Amino acid sequence: MHIYDSVQKTKLLFEPIHKGKVSIYVCGPTVYDDAHLGHARSALAFDLLTRTFKSLNYTVTLAKNFTDIDDKIIKKVQQSGKSMEEITSFYIARYLEEMDALGVQRADLEPKATESLRAIEAMIQTLLDKDFAYRISNGDVYFDTSKDRHYGSISHQVSEDDENQSRVAHTEEKRSPKDFALWKACKNEEEICFKTAFSTGRPGWHIECSAMIEKHFSGTENYSIDIHGGGADLLFPHHENEAAQSRCATGHELAKYWMHNGFVQIDGEKMSKSLGNSFFLKDALALYDGEVLRFYLNSVHYRNDFNFSEEELKLSKKRLDKIYRLKKRVSPGTASTVNQTFKTLLLNAMSDDLNISIALAVIDEMLAVTNEMLDSDPQNKVLKKECLANIAFIDTLLGFGGKEPFSYFQIGVDETLKQKITRMLQERSEAKKIKDFARSDAIRDELTELGISIMDTSEGTLWEKLS
RNA sequence: GGAGCCAUCGCCAAGCGGUAAGGCCGCAGCCUGCAAAGCUGCUAUCCCCGGUUCAAAUCCGGGUGGCUCCUCCA
């Protein structure tokens, strides 16, 4: 397995800390609002990563956190009158439902900030004890970036010039604009506050990830985990700060490899809540099947930016359709053993920093070859069984192609319409029997108007919903 | 102002110094009563200008254009 490390900015051979095992921590969402396509892209990218490791016979431990303490959540509590727990549990549940619909496998660990307060407090206390952090008069605790000689080594974005480092306003007591909050003291009684030795308040954004990783992963003398992942926007300052905290608190590096996924864009601009161009997952899933969305969002390499368009999504579906058409051809039946050449080619592609484009090309080649062989030998049962195994492997590795193929093409067609289609097809085949082609073609036109495409085969007439 | 990323056929997109994968669309053909599906065939010298090299889409320098980070952000 080779992966691109965003710290060294090059593709590296993956060598696990512990042989045969891989530990991955991905920054999850802040749960104060609905997830959009960008959240899906990130989840999907790391889902592909864990599936690939699993197929390579690694034992994977994946952690994805939920940030459930945050200024925006507090704001929402104040505005809505609901409790923090009500709000966060609602969005966590919805996030998980939507990820299920996309075929994202659940993380092994889903730590929350509210459940990690003791670990957070302990890490901040360690940093204070070791003099890597300082408390100011209002109770805030800051990380002293000047004490960390390696600060900047993750993102390479730290300026020598303090004035240019940040555009945010700073408290006077902060020693440097680069310093960041580990702990924010409560300013008034309405806020959500937790008692600690240093002050009553809440954790800063960066500390939870560092603390959770220490809490859940054993690590070694060199690294806490193998891979740390997240969106490209998290590289700086979030991951830089995480790395600094962990390095200074534990004496070793946080992660051996760092991976960052590219953005989902709308009309060439980053999708974000602040820009107001978000396409929410709940809306997308109301319009399109989760598997289709998954296929589309995964069809471009995870590090590239992804310019989303509904037209492209529909075109992308055609490529998925081809897998299911072949699956129809080889169904029903039981899968035998996956073709080893096919399996190797697919795995090789994904082992090269998740090269999905090559993987899809390998699949298309398998599709074409199998279709061709079936054209000349339609009853080849050995071939059919192997093909079912091949498609099952695609589903295991990439997470699509697993549905029952006939129902796949009928998603969105209700029972009433299905019965109507069946009646029309019966009438059409009777017309065809007596060579009344005018009548049979008229029925086909009616079906087209209903959004249904038909195809005559030796097994009878099949139909699909037009997308 | 500081720090990066990207630019390949009409569209999407691989390529990681050795002579341009794949998909969509289009055209022609096979199959079909006609279609659909499937199969076969056809379509690019890689934003521009220099340089390095026997050899560059791939490396270096300079442009142009787009995006991102430096504030919450996947």
Side-chain angles (χ1 to χ4, degrees):
Chain A
M1 181 73 172
H2 288 260
I3 56 177
Y4 183 90
D5 176 44
S6 6
V7 170
Q8 293 189 45
K9 298 187 183 187
T10 185
K11 217 186 273 182
L12 299 172
L13 173 67
F14 175 76
E15 296 176 54
I17 296 171
H18 299 289
K19 194 170 182 297
K21 294 182 181 173
V22 48
S23 48
I24 306 172
Y25 180 95
V26 181
C27 289
T30 301
V31 282
Y32 71 104
D33 200 357
D34 286 303
H36 60 213
L37 261 22
H39 296 96
R41 176 110 195 273
S42 179
L44 251 9
F46 290 100
D47 186 54
L48 233 36
L49 181 71
T50 56
R51 283 171 183 263
T52 300
F53 274 123
K54 285 175 185 171
S55 288
L56 291 168
N57 295 319
Y58 281 92
T59 302
V60 182
T61 307
L62 172 70
K64 182 155 72 173
N65 72 305
F66 287 109
T67 298
D68 61 351
I69 303 173
D70 174 86
D71 289 1
K72 288 189 292 298
I73 297 172
I74 292 168
K75 200 173 169 186
K76 198 136 189 166
V77 168
Q78 288 164 169
Q79 287 171 346
S80 66
K82 290 178 183 161
S83 73
M84 187 167 93
E85 207 278 332
E86 268 180 289
I87 290 168
T88 58
S89 62
F90 174 82
Y91 286 111
I92 288 171
R94 176 169 253 167
Y95 177 87
L96 291 172
E97 270 171 37
E98 289 168 345
M99 291 305 143
D100 282 349
L102 292 173
V104 173
Q105 295 178 341
R106 287 285 289 265
D108 303 288
L109 301 163
E110 291 171 343
K112 301 184 187 79
T114 49
E115 293 169 356
S116 314
L117 284 161
R118 273 207 282 180
I120 291 169
E121 182 182 0
M123 184 171 272
I124 295 175
Q125 193 58 57
T126 303
L127 289 168
L128 282 166
D129 293 345
K130 289 186 174 180
D131 202 28
F132 284 115
Y134 56 93
R135 181 185 183 282
I136 64 171
S137 58
N138 70 2
D140 288 356
V141 180
Y142 284 93
F143 182 85
D144 188 341
T145 51
S146 69
K147 298 275 173 64
D148 177 18
R149 271 191 301 162
H150 298 289
Y151 190 72
S153 63
I154 299 297
S155 66
H156 316 290
Q157 278 188 37
V158 177
S159 172
E160 295 294 314
D161 180 5
D162 279 5
E163 296 308 309
N164 273 328
Q165 184 56 47
S166 177
R167 304 195 308 219
V168 75
H170 299 280
T171 358
E172 287 189 5
E173 287 183 73
K174 259 177 81 171
R175 296 177 189 167
S176 159
K178 295 174 190 169
D179 294 354
F180 55 90
L182 296 169
W183 189 260
K184 298 176 180 179
C186 280
K187 306 295 186 290
N188 59 58
E189 294 187 4
E190 270 87 85
E191 293 179 42
I192 286 87
C193 303
F194 307 95
K195 276 184 189 159
T196 66
F198 24 93
S199 71
T200 299
R202 61 183 188 279
W205 176 36
H206 315 297
I207 192 70
E208 67 176 82
C209 296
S210 292
M212 287 169 183
I213 288 170
E214 286 317 306
K215 180 179 172 184
H216 295 287
F217 293 96
S218 56
T220 61
E221 56 186 15
N222 293 320
Y223 302 99
S224 298
I225 53 169
D226 287 299
I227 298 171
H228 189 123
D233 49 354
L234 299 181
L235 182 56
F236 188 84
H238 186 50
H239 289 163
E240 186 72 61
N241 293 349
E242 275 185 44
Q245 293 158 357
S246 293
R247 181 160 50 229
C248 293
T250 68
H252 61 242
E253 287 297 317
L254 180 58
K256 194 170 180 188
Y257 305 92
W258 294 79
M259 295 175 78
H260 293 90
N261 63 277
F263 299 126
V264 175
Q265 303 187 327
I266 295 279
D267 299 324
E269 267 193 329
K270 177 186 173 181
M271 178 183 296
S272 74
K273 285 166 189 166
S274 45
L275 283 173
N277 62 352
S278 294
F279 195 159
F280 291 104
L281 219 32
K282 60 174 179 179
D283 299 324
L285 285 168
L287 290 168
Y288 309 104
D289 184 64
E291 185 180 15
V292 174
L293 264 177
R294 175 190 180 88
F295 185 85
Y296 177 51
L297 289 172
N298 266 344
S299 68
V300 174
H301 186 84
Y302 76 95
R303 267 189 285 124
N304 290 164
D305 283 337
F306 186 107
N307 205 333
F308 181 88
S309 88
E310 298 195 47
E311 286 72 18
E312 286 294 329
L313 187 152
K314 287 172 188 162
L315 294 176
S316 166
K317 178 178 180 294
K318 296 188 175 193
R319 206 171 183 179
L320 217 209
D321 287 349
K322 295 202 301 182
I323 296 174
Y324 277 108
R325 290 230 176 77
L326 179 59
K327 195 170 182 180
K328 277 204 295 196
R329 264 189 111 171
V330 298
S331 294
T334 49
S336 56
T337 316
V338 62
N339 180 286
Q340 286 306 303
T341 307
F342 173 69
K343 182 178 179 178
T344 303
L345 288 172
L346 250 196
L347 231 28
N348 283 350
M350 293 307 285
S351 301
D352 183 15
D353 194 37
L354 310 180
N355 193 327
I356 192 70
S357 289
I358 299 291
L360 293 178
V362 168
I363 291 171
D364 282 319
E365 176 66 12
M366 185 276 285
L367 260 30
V369 168
T370 310
N371 270 315
E372 192 186 357
M373 290 173 78
L374 248 23
D375 281 350
S376 54
D377 186 5
Q379 301 304 325
N380 191 333
K381 283 194 177 161
V382 174
L383 179 65
K384 287 184 176 183
K385 284 169 180 287
E386 183 187 87
C387 181
L388 282 169
N390 291 345
I391 295 174
F393 181 66
I394 294 171
D395 185 38
T396 302
L397 181 60
L398 305 175
F400 48 80
K403 284 196 174 78
E404 196 284 309
F406 294 92
S407 60
Y408 167 83
F409 287 106
Q410 302 178 358
I411 292 169
V413 180
D414 62 40
E415 221 27 68
T416 319
L417 183 54
K418 275 185 192 174
Q419 286 172 12
K420 187 174 181 182
I421 292 165
T422 307
R423 281 198 307 276
M424 288 170 78
L425 287 180
Q426 272 169 4
E427 194 190 332
R428 182 170 170 275
S429 77
E430 279 158 27
K432 277 182 65 177
K433 246 178 224 167
I434 57 168
K435 306 232 188 272
D436 183 357
F437 294 124
R439 181 67 195 136
S440 72
D441 290 353
I443 292 169
R444 183 167 59 201
D445 290 344
E446 283 177 49
L447 284 162
T448 305
E449 298 252 323
L450 291 169
I452 302 301
S453 148
I454 63 169
M455 41 204 73
D456 294 323
T457 74
S458 54
E459 317 280 296
T461 302
L462 304 178
W463 63 272
E464 295 179 0
K465 182 178 183 290
L466 291 164
S467 44

